[in-house]
Coordinates of all heavy atoms in Angstrom, one line a residue:
L55 N 42.8 300.7 63.0 CA 42.1 301.1 64.2 C 42.2 300.1 65.3 O 42.3 298.9 65.1 CB 40.5 301.2 63.9 CG 40.1 302.7 63.4 CD1 40.8 303.1 62.1 CD2 38.7 302.7 63.3
E56 N 42.3 300.5 66.5 CA 42.2 299.8 67.7 C 40.8 299.8 68.3 O 39.9 300.6 67.8 CB 43.2 300.3 68.8 CG 44.6 300.2 68.2 CD 45.8 300.6 69.2 OE1 45.4 300.8 70.3 OE2 46.8 300.8 68.8
S57 N 40.5 298.9 69.2 CA 39.1 298.9 69.8 C 38.7 300.3 70.3 O 37.4 300.6 70.1 CB 39.1 297.9 70.9 OG 39.9 298.1 72.0
I58 N 39.5 301.0 71.0 CA 39.1 302.4 71.5 C 38.8 303.3 70.3 O 37.8 304.1 70.4 CB 40.2 302.9 72.4 CG1 39.6 304.2 73.1 CG2 41.5 303.2 71.6 CD1 38.5 303.9 74.1
D59 N 39.4 303.2 69.2 CA 39.1 303.9 68.0 C 37.7 303.6 67.5 O 36.9 304.4 67.1 CB 40.1 303.7 66.8 CG 41.5 304.1 67.3 OD1 41.6 305.1 68.0 OD2 42.5 303.5 66.8
L60 N 37.3 302.3 67.5 CA 36.0 301.8 67.0 C 35.0 302.4 68.0 O 33.9 302.8 67.6 CB 36.0 300.3 66.9 CG 36.6 299.7 65.7 CD1 36.6 298.2 65.9 CD2 35.8 300.1 64.5
V61 N 35.3 302.4 69.3 CA 34.4 303.0 70.3 C 34.1 304.5 70.0 O 33.0 305.0 70.0 CB 34.8 302.7 71.7 CG1 34.0 303.5 72.8 CG2 34.8 301.3 72.1
T62 N 35.2 305.2 69.8 CA 35.1 306.6 69.5 C 34.3 306.8 68.2 O 33.4 307.7 68.2 CB 36.5 307.2 69.3 OG1 37.2 306.9 70.6 CG2 36.5 308.7 69.1
L63 N 34.6 306.0 67.2 CA 33.8 306.2 65.9 C 32.4 306.0 66.1 O 31.5 306.7 65.7 CB 34.4 305.3 64.8 CG 33.6 305.3 63.5 CD1 33.7 306.5 62.8 CD2 34.3 304.2 62.7
T64 N 32.1 304.8 66.7 CA 30.6 304.5 67.0 C 29.9 305.5 67.8 O 28.7 305.7 67.7 CB 30.3 303.1 67.4 OG1 31.1 302.9 68.6 CG2 30.9 302.1 66.4
G65 N 30.6 306.1 68.7 CA 30.0 307.2 69.6 C 29.6 308.3 68.7 O 28.6 308.9 68.9
E66 N 30.6 308.7 67.8 CA 30.3 309.8 66.9 C 29.1 309.5 65.9 O 28.3 310.3 65.7 CB 31.5 310.3 66.1 CG 31.2 311.2 65.0 CD 30.8 312.6 65.5 OE1 30.9 312.9 66.7 OE2 30.3 313.4 64.6
L67 N 29.1 308.3 65.4 CA 28.0 307.8 64.6 C 26.7 307.7 65.3 O 25.6 308.1 64.7 CB 28.3 306.5 63.8 CG 29.4 306.6 62.7 CD1 29.8 305.2 62.4 CD2 29.1 307.4 61.6
G68 N 26.7 307.4 66.5 CA 25.6 307.3 67.3 C 25.0 308.7 67.6 O 23.8 308.9 67.6
R69 N 25.9 309.7 67.7 CA 25.4 311.0 67.9 C 24.7 311.5 66.7 O 23.7 312.2 66.7 CB 26.6 311.9 68.2 CG 26.3 313.4 68.5 CD 27.5 314.3 68.6 NE 28.3 314.5 67.4 CZ 27.8 315.2 66.4 NH1 26.6 315.8 66.4 NH2 28.5 315.3 65.3
R70 N 25.3 311.1 65.5 CA 24.7 311.5 64.1 C 23.4 310.8 63.8 O 22.5 311.5 63.3 CB 25.7 311.3 63.1 CG 27.0 312.2 63.2 CD 28.0 311.8 62.2 NE 29.2 312.6 62.3 CZ 30.0 313.1 61.4 NH1 29.5 313.0 60.1 NH2 31.1 313.8 61.6
Y71 N 23.3 309.6 64.2 CA 22.1 308.8 63.8 C 21.1 308.6 64.9 O 20.1 308.1 64.7 CB 22.6 307.4 63.2 CG 23.3 307.5 61.9 CD1 24.6 307.4 61.7 CD2 22.5 307.7 60.7 CE1 25.2 307.5 60.5 CE2 23.0 307.9 59.5 CZ 24.4 307.8 59.4 OH 25.0 307.9 58.1
G72 N 21.5 308.8 66.1 CA 20.6 308.7 67.3 C 20.2 307.3 67.6 O 21.0 306.4 67.2
D73 N 19.1 307.1 68.2 CA 18.7 305.8 68.6 C 18.4 304.7 67.6 O 18.2 303.6 67.9 CB 17.4 305.9 69.6 CG 17.8 306.6 70.9 OD1 19.0 306.6 71.3 OD2 16.9 307.1 71.5
R74 N 18.1 305.2 66.3 CA 17.7 304.3 65.3 C 18.9 303.4 64.9 O 18.6 302.3 64.4 CB 17.2 305.0 64.1 CG 18.3 305.6 63.2 CD 17.6 306.2 62.0 NE 18.6 306.6 61.0 CZ 18.9 306.0 59.9 NH1 18.3 304.8 59.7 NH2 19.9 306.3 59.1
V75 N 20.1 303.7 65.3 CA 21.1 302.7 65.0 C 21.9 302.3 66.3 O 22.3 303.1 67.1 CB 22.2 303.3 64.1 CG1 23.4 302.4 63.8 CG2 21.6 303.9 62.8
D76 N 21.6 301.0 66.6 CA 22.1 300.5 68.0 C 23.4 299.8 67.8 O 23.5 298.7 67.5 CB 21.1 299.4 68.5 CG 21.3 298.9 69.8 OD1 22.4 299.3 70.4 OD2 20.4 298.3 70.4
F77 N 24.5 300.6 67.9 CA 25.9 300.0 67.6 C 26.2 299.0 68.7 O 26.8 298.0 68.4 CB 26.9 301.2 67.6 CG 26.7 302.0 66.3 CD1 26.2 303.2 66.3 CD2 27.2 301.4 65.2 CE1 26.1 303.9 65.2 CE2 27.1 302.1 63.9 CZ 26.6 303.4 63.9
P78 N 25.9 299.2 70.1 CA 26.2 298.1 70.9 C 25.7 296.8 70.6 O 26.3 295.8 70.6 CB 25.7 298.7 72.3 CG 25.7 300.1 72.1 CD 25.4 300.4 70.7
A79 N 24.4 296.8 70.1 CA 23.8 295.5 69.7 C 24.4 294.9 68.5 O 24.6 293.8 68.3 CB 22.3 295.8 69.4
F80 N 24.8 295.9 67.5 CA 25.5 295.4 66.3 C 26.8 294.8 66.7 O 27.1 293.5 66.2 CB 25.8 296.6 65.5 CG 26.7 296.3 64.2 CD1 26.2 295.5 63.2 CD2 27.8 296.9 64.1 CE1 27.0 295.1 62.1 CE2 28.7 296.7 63.0 CZ 28.2 295.8 62.0
F81 N 27.6 295.4 67.6 CA 28.9 294.7 67.9 C 28.7 293.5 68.7 O 29.5 292.5 68.6 CB 29.8 295.7 68.6 CG 30.6 296.6 67.7 CD1 30.0 297.9 67.4 CD2 31.6 296.2 66.9 CE1 30.7 298.8 66.4 CE2 32.3 296.9 66.1 CZ 31.8 298.2 65.8
A82 N 27.7 293.5 69.6 CA 27.4 292.2 70.4 C 27.0 291.0 69.6 O 27.2 289.9 70.0 CB 26.3 292.6 71.4
S83 N 26.5 291.3 68.3 CA 26.1 290.2 67.5 C 27.2 289.7 66.7 O 27.1 288.6 66.0 CB 24.9 290.8 66.5 OG 25.6 291.6 65.5
L84 N 28.4 290.3 66.8 CA 29.6 289.8 66.0 C 30.5 289.0 66.9 O 30.6 289.2 68.1 CB 30.4 290.9 65.5 CG 29.5 291.9 64.6 CD1 30.5 293.1 64.3 CD2 29.1 291.3 63.4
E85 N 31.1 288.1 66.2 CA 32.3 287.2 66.9 C 33.5 288.1 66.8 O 33.6 289.1 66.0 CB 32.4 285.9 66.2 CG 31.3 285.0 66.2 CD 31.0 284.4 67.5 OE1 32.0 284.2 68.4 OE2 29.8 284.2 67.9

Side-chain angles (χ1 to χ4, degrees):
L55 265 66
E56 297 182 13
S57 59
I58 190 66
D59 299 324
L60 283 171
V61 170
T62 303
L63 174 63
T64 57
E66 173 63 16
L67 291 170
R69 187 188 65 73
R70 294 173 185 224
Y71 289 104
D73 292 338
R74 78 177 187 97
V75 181
D76 187 351
F77 289 107
F80 173 63
F81 279 99
S83 73
L84 302 175
E85 297 291 328

